[in-house]
Each structure stands twice: as structure tokens, then as C-alpha cells.
Amino acid sequence: FGVVPTFIGLTKEFTDEERRRVILKSTIAGAGILIGFSLIGDFLFQILGLNLSTLRVGGGLLLFLTALDMLQGKVSDCRCSRAELKSISI
């Protein structure tokens, strides 16, 4: 339910049929990934030599780097238009 406003904002110019198609594709992709990892996830982690601790460390590092960028006021240029960058520049 939390992503409904984001979905509506991203698909505001779509027709109802296009929205239904996006919902169907997203649901199938999400279910496929969930089922796939539930079936082969442990095997894949064993092959790669990963465990829960390594995932926690990696996630912590990503969170730390994101927080550090936010504290320094860096703006990611990923998917930002010039108008958006201009509106947030000081």
C-alpha cells in the first residue's frame, strides 16, 4: 500500500489498460523473483560463499554511504531533470 502514491505519480499519463499491464508485469516479476530466491537462494549463497553476516555488513555499508552523501548535501544526478536539480540547488 505504501507504493500506491508513487505508482500513481509515475503512471499519471497512462491509460487504465496501460496501468493494468504495468501492474500485471510488476506482480509477475516480483512473484517470480520471490519464488526463485525461495527455491535456489540458499544454494546460490553457498556457491557464492555468502552468509547473513556478510549481507548485514554490505547493507550497513550501503546505508552508511547513502547517509554520508545526504549529510554532505550531495545530490545524485540519477534520474533528475535539469529543472529538478535547479529547484533544489542553493
Side-chain angles (χ1 to χ4, degrees), residues 65-76 85 88-90:
L65 292 174
T66 302
L68 191 61
D69 282 346
M70 291 174 75
L71 284 173
Q72 293 176 348
K74 291 183 180 177
V75 178
S76 173
L85 289 174
I88 59 173
S89 64
I90 297 173

Side-chain angles (χ1 to χ4, degrees), residues 12-57:
K12 64 183 171 189
E13 296 179 6
F14 287 17
T15 65
D16 288 342
E17 181 60 33
E18 290 173 327
R19 281 187 179 168
R20 284 188 194 98
R21 203 169 339 134
V22 169
I23 291 170
L24 181 64
K25 285 182 181 181
S26 302
T27 303
I28 291 172
I33 291 169
L34 184 64
I35 291 169
F37 268 102
S38 67
L39 294 175
I40 64 167
D42 287 335
F43 177 71
L44 184 63
F45 280 6
Q46 287 175 359
I47 288 175
L48 296 174
L50 298 174
N51 58 29
L52 189 56
S53 297
T54 56
L55 292 177
R56 286 180 179 162
V57 170

